[in-house]
Amino acid sequence: MDVMPKWADAILIPLISILLAFAISGLVILAIGKDPIEAFRIMVTGALGSSYGWGFTLYYTTNFIFTGLAVAIAFHARLFNIGGEGQATLGGLGVALVLLAVPWPHWSLALPAAILGAMLFGAAWALIPAYLQAKRGSHIVITTIMFNYIAWALLTYLLVEVLKPAGQQSPESRRFGPGAELPGLSDVLGLVGIPFSSAAPVNVSFLLAILACYFVWLLLWRTRLGYEIRAYGHSETAAAYAGISATRIIIIAMLISGALAGLMAVNAVMGAGRLINNSVENAGFIGIAVALMGRSHPVGVFLAALLFGFLYQGGAELALWASIPTELIVVIQSLVILFTGALDNMVRMPLERIFLAFRRSEREG
Amino acid sequence: MVDFLTVLQILDTTLRLATPLLFACLAGLVSERAGIFDIGLEGKLLASAFFSAAVAAATGSVWLGLLAGIAASLTLSGIHGVASITFRGNQLISGVAINFLAAGLTVLIAQSWFQQGGRTPSLSGGARFQEITLPFAESLSGVPIFGPIYKELISGHSLLVYVGLLTVPLVWWVLFRTRFGLRLRAVGENPAAVDTAGIPVVRLRYMAVGICGILCGLGGVYLATGLQAGFVKDMSSGRGFIALAALIFAKWRPWYALFACLLFGFFQALSFRPDVVAAVMRFDVPGQLMDALPYILTVVILAGFVGKAIPPRAGGEPYVKEQ
C-alpha cells in the first residue's frame, strides 16, 4: 500500500532532499569564510542575468540532459551505469572521426552523420560491460568504472599519437571544416526575432536534447520495449515469468544508455569545432546526480539538468568574482547525490510517519 | 639489456606504489566481506591524504597528521555507514557521493586554509614519514645478490610501507582465525543466519566499515606524507579504483590482495620507466596502455576468463530485520 500520495513521492521528497543539500552547501561556503547569500547572488546574475550567461547555462544543460537521460534509462532497468564519462568520451571520438573523414558541405548534412557517429561509439563502449553483466554476471558498476579509465587512456593515446596534426604541441585534433559548424542558438532564435548572445557556446544541440527527452519518454511509457525495460527493473523474476529476456533487456538498455551519453559529444565536440582531451568535463558523472534528482523521468531530468547547468555556469562566475574554487559545484553535486540517492530513506521515513498520522486523524475526525 | 640494479629500483618503486593500493584494497576487503560494497575508497584516500598533509604542515608533526587523516577517512566511512546500514540506501550511490564530496571539499578547504591553489605547503622534516634504514643495510651491501636486495629493496622505506605489509597477515588472521572474523564474514554471506544466532548484524557491519575507514586512512596518510611530500588536488588519481580492481583480482582474499597490489604497483612503476619497457619488449609500448592495464586486466578477470570472481553473497544488500 502507498503510504504517501504520488505527488509527495515525486516532488516533495526530492525537494526536501535538495533543500538539505543546498543548506549544507551554504554552511560549507560559510565555513570557508565566504557569504552564501552574496555567492548565490553572483551565481544568479552570472548564469541567468544576461543572454550570454544563459547561453553558457543552456550549453551545460544540454550536456547534462544527455548524460542524465543515459543514467536514467539504465536506472529503469535497475542498472547503474557509471560509465557515462567513458561513453561520452568515445562518443566524442565518433563525432570527430565522422567530421574529419569527410569535407562536409553543410552542417545540416554533417549533423545527422555526427549524431550517428556519437550514438554508435557511445553504444559500442557500453556494449562490453552490458554483455559481461548479462552473460557473465560481472557487476556493471565495476566494469563501467574500468571502462571510463580505459576510454581516457585510449583517447589520450589517439590524440597524442594519431589525431594530432604534425608539428602541433597540444594534444588536439585539427579543426573540423567550416561545413561542420553548428548554428548557435542565437541563429535559431534570430529566425523568430528573439535577440540572443552569439558569443555563448549553446547551439542547436539544445533542441536535440529536448527532442531526446521526448523520445525517451515515448520509449519508456509508450512502447512495448519501454514497458519491458520498466518491468525488468521492477522485478526480474516477474519479468522472466512474463517471457522477457533479461539478456536482451540489459543489452538494449545499456546500448540506448551509451548512445545517449555519446550524444552529448554533438554539443561538446562538434560545438567546439575540434576534439580535445577531456571534453566531457565530468558531465558523465553529473548525469548520475541529474537522474537521481529527476527521479529518472525525462521531465525531471530536464529540470535537474537545467539546475546543474545553472550551478556550473554560476560556479564559474563564483571562481571569477568571489575566488571560490569551482570545486564548490562538485561538493554540491555530491550532496545532491547523497541526499536524493543514498539518504532517500532519511527523508522518506519521517514523511511517511507524518502522512500516516494525518490519515489516522482524518479517519477518526 | 636491463641490469640488476635497474630491476631492483623498479621493484623498489613497485613496493612504494603498491602500499596505498594495499591499504585501500584491504580496507575494501574488510568492508565487502561484511556485505558493504565500497566504491568510495578513492574519496577516503583523498580526504585522508589532504587532512594528514594539512595537519602535518600546520603542526609540524606527522603523527598528528596521521590521526587527522584517519579521522577524515573514518568520518566518510561514518557517512557511508549511516546511508547504507542505518537508512538502507544504495551503497553504490553513497560511494559515488563520497568520492565527489572528498574531491570537492579537499580543494575547497585547501584553498581557504593555505591559499596555494588547492594544495598544502610542501612537507619536510618531522612533518613527513622518513625513510627507515634497516640494521646492517650498509654493512651487508657488499654481499652479492642478497646485499643489494636488502639495501635497495627491503630497507629504506617509510614506516607505513612496513605497516602495510604487516597488515596483510593481520587482516588474514582476524578474518580467518578469530570469532569476530568468522562473524564478519558470515554477515557478508548470510546476515539472517547471523541475526538468528543472536549476533547484532548492524553493529558488525558498522565495525567493518570502521576498520575500512582506518585502513583507507593509513593509505591516504602514506600517499601525502610518505610517497609524496604534501597534498595536491586529486592526488589519489584513481588509486581507490585500482584497489577495487585488485580486490576483485584477489577474489576478496588478503594474501592474493597483496600480490594483486604488487602487480598493479609494478605496472605503475613500469610506466615511469618507458625506456626499460621498450628494451624488454623490443618495441615502444604506449604509456597509456601501461596506465590502462590494471583496468583491462580486471575486466578480463570479471569476464571470467581467468577463474570466476564471486563476491560475498549478501554484498550490497541492506539487511532488514524480520519483524
Side-chain angles (χ1 to χ4, degrees):
Chain A
M1 188 195 88
D2 285 341
V3 183
M4 280 189 292
K6 222 173 170 182
W7 62 268
D9 188 60
I11 297 168
L12 196 59
I13 292 181
L15 206 64
I16 294 175
S17 303
I18 291 159
L19 286 179
L20 275 171
F22 282 157
I24 295 181
S25 307
L27 291 178
V28 169
I29 299 176
L30 267 183
I32 59 169
K34 309 277 176 176
D35 178 2
I37 297 177
E38 173 64 11
F40 187 65
R41 203 190 55 75
I42 292 175
M43 289 176 83
V44 171
T45 3
L48 312 173
S50 62
S51 80
Y52 179 72
W54 270 101
F56 273 93
T57 299
L58 292 181
Y59 169 77
Y60 293 125
T61 302
T62 308
N63 287 343
F64 303 154
I65 289 175
F66 285 125
T67 54
L69 286 175
V71 178
I73 204 156
F75 270 156
H76 277 286
R78 203 171 285 190
L79 295 165
F80 189 9
N81 178 13
I82 309 194
E85 201 71 14
Q87 290 142 20
T89 301
L90 262 282
L93 181 65
V95 167
L97 291 182
V98 163
L99 295 181
L100 289 170
V102 179
W104 295 96
H106 192 258
W107 69 267
S108 58
L109 296 172
L111 181 60
I115 289 175
L116 219 62
M119 291 178 73
L120 220 62
F121 274 62
W125 207 244
L127 177 63
I128 303 170
Y131 175 83
L132 292 178
Q133 169 80 58
K135 284 289 181 188
R136 298 271 180 170
S138 0
H139 208 298
I140 199 137
V141 167
I142 305 289
T143 44
T144 48
I145 290 175
M146 302 294 135
F147 265 67
N148 283 341
Y149 282 97
I150 301 172
W152 288 324
L154 179 67
L155 189 73
T156 312
Y157 172 75
L158 287 177
L159 278 176
V160 173
E161 304 289 339
V162 184
L163 290 169
K164 187 183 74 170
Q168 181 183 300
Q169 276 296 316
S170 55
E172 302 173 357
S173 77
R174 69 177 161 84
R175 289 197 68 84
F176 311 139
E181 222 164 89
L182 282 178
L185 196 62
S186 58
D187 300 319
V188 180
L189 290 176
L191 294 179
V192 285
I194 302 173
F196 196 86
S197 164
S198 59
V202 63
N203 56 57
V204 285
S205 324
F206 177 60
L207 305 178
L208 186 70
I210 295 175
L211 213 62
C213 285
Y214 175 69
F215 275 126
V216 167
W217 174 81
L218 209 64
L219 171 79
L220 280 173
W221 282 279
R222 287 293 179 274
T223 68
R224 190 190 169 91
L225 176 65
Y227 172 79
E228 289 179 345
I229 290 177
R230 287 184 298 122
Y232 174 79
H234 267 287
S235 166
E236 227 172 290
T237 37
Y241 277 113
I244 296 169
S245 151
T247 309
R248 190 173 144 260
I249 295 300
I250 291 173
I251 289 187
I252 291 179
M254 279 303 288
L255 283 178
I256 299 172
S257 178
L260 282 166
L263 269 178
M264 122 173 204
V266 173
N267 186 42
V269 174
M270 192 174 182
R274 66 192 190 293
L275 182 64
I276 58 170
N277 220 345
N278 191 22
S279 61
V280 185
E281 290 184 301
N282 275 336
F285 292 129
I286 290 171
I288 299 168
V290 167
L292 283 170
M293 201 173 133
R295 282 281 187 266
S296 300
H297 191 284
V299 175
V301 166
F302 177 82
L303 294 175
L306 199 60
L307 179 75
F308 269 95
F310 157 73
L311 285 175
Y312 237 61
Q313 171 56 14
E317 295 283 320
L318 270 185
L320 208 58
W321 300 111
S323 60
I324 297 178
T326 45
E327 273 75 14
L328 175 68
I329 307 311
V330 181
V331 173
I332 298 178
Q333 170 199 346
S334 74
L335 291 169
V336 167
I337 295 177
L338 190 66
F339 282 104
T340 58
L343 287 172
D344 186 66
N345 275 335
M346 190 178 82
V347 178
R348 184 180 299 270
M349 284 172 179
L351 264 186
E352 283 184 346
R353 235 167 274 150
I354 294 171
F355 272 101
L356 265 180
F358 257 118
R359 274 200 195 167
R360 225 168 271 145
S361 66
E362 260 175 29
R363 223 173 287 150
E364 283 158 12
Chain B
M1 265 322 279
V2 182
D3 61 43
F4 184 52
L5 202 62
T6 311
V7 171
L8 278 186
Q9 276 167 2
I10 290 175
L11 291 180
D12 182 73
T13 314
T14 299
L15 193 54
R16 288 165 202 270
L17 291 172
T19 299
L21 299 179
L22 185 59
F23 277 120
C25 185
L26 292 172
L29 192 147
V30 173
S31 180
E32 301 207 349
R33 277 287 186 164
I36 304 293
F37 279 155
D38 195 349
I39 56 174
L41 297 173
E42 175 81 3
K44 287 199 269 279
L45 279 181
L46 193 63
S48 159
F50 168 67
F51 279 99
S52 64
V55 170
T59 64
S61 159
V62 72
W63 292 101
L64 290 178
L66 177 97
L67 289 181
I70 292 178
S73 173
L74 266 177
T75 308
L76 292 182
S77 271
I79 295 175
H80 190 52
V82 168
S84 55
I85 304 171
T86 304
F87 288 111
R88 294 178 213 136
N90 186 315
Q91 298 169 7
L92 300 166
I93 293 175
S94 167
V96 169
I98 282 168
N99 287 336
F100 288 125
L101 192 62
L105 273 185
T106 48
V107 177
L108 223 50
I109 299 174
Q111 178 59 23
S112 89
W113 191 342
F114 300 104
Q115 273 104 32
Q116 296 191 3
R119 54 167 66 218
T120 63
S122 284
L123 304 175
S124 58
R128 268 193 86 192
F129 275 106
Q130 300 299 327
E131 289 165 358
I132 299 172
T133 310
L134 294 182
F136 313 118
E138 280 309 321
S139 50
L140 283 175
S141 66
V143 181
I145 311 288
F146 175 74
I149 289 182
Y150 186 71
K151 181 171 177 247
E152 296 292 330
L153 180 58
I154 299 174
S155 170
H157 294 287
S158 78
L159 179 67
L160 288 178
V161 172
Y162 303 111
V163 173
L165 291 173
L166 289 176
T167 310
V168 178
L170 182 70
V171 166
W172 172 83
W173 184 77
V174 168
L175 278 183
F176 296 95
R177 286 295 180 272
T178 68
R179 186 190 299 200
F180 170 73
L182 177 69
R183 288 173 172 178
L184 195 123
R185 284 181 294 127
V187 140
E189 296 288 339
N190 191 344
V194 176
D195 204 10
T196 311
I199 301 156
V201 172
V202 166
R203 202 173 73 196
L204 267 170
R205 285 194 162 171
Y206 264 109
M207 287 174 86
V209 169
I211 295 171
C212 168
I214 293 171
L215 289 177
C216 235
L218 287 170
V221 172
Y222 175 71
L223 212 52
T225 66
L227 192 63
Q228 281 159 43
F231 172 86
V232 289
K233 180 182 164 179
D234 283 331
M235 76 180 300
S236 51
S237 58
R239 286 190 171 85
F241 293 114
I242 297 185
L244 214 56
L247 180 57
I248 296 164
F249 209 80
K251 298 171 187 167
W252 292 268
R253 287 172 296 186
W255 285 107
Y256 289 74
L258 173 64
F259 296 120
C261 290
L262 285 173
L263 179 70
F264 291 168
F266 181 62
F267 292 148
Q268 289 187 330
L270 281 184
S271 63
F272 286 113
R273 294 296 300 268
D275 54 317
V276 176
V277 178
V280 173
M281 303 294 285
R282 296 183 193 286
F283 64 90
D284 270 338
V285 179
Q288 292 87 3
L289 180 63
M290 297 302 300
D291 293 340
L293 215 49
Y295 308 109
I296 296 172
L297 277 179
T298 305
V299 172
V300 171
I301 294 288
L302 277 171
F305 297 127
V306 195
K308 208 162 165 52
I310 301 164
R313 205 182 310 156
E317 287 169 20
Y319 179 63
V320 185
K321 208 178 169 75
E322 223 174 304
Q323 297 293 322

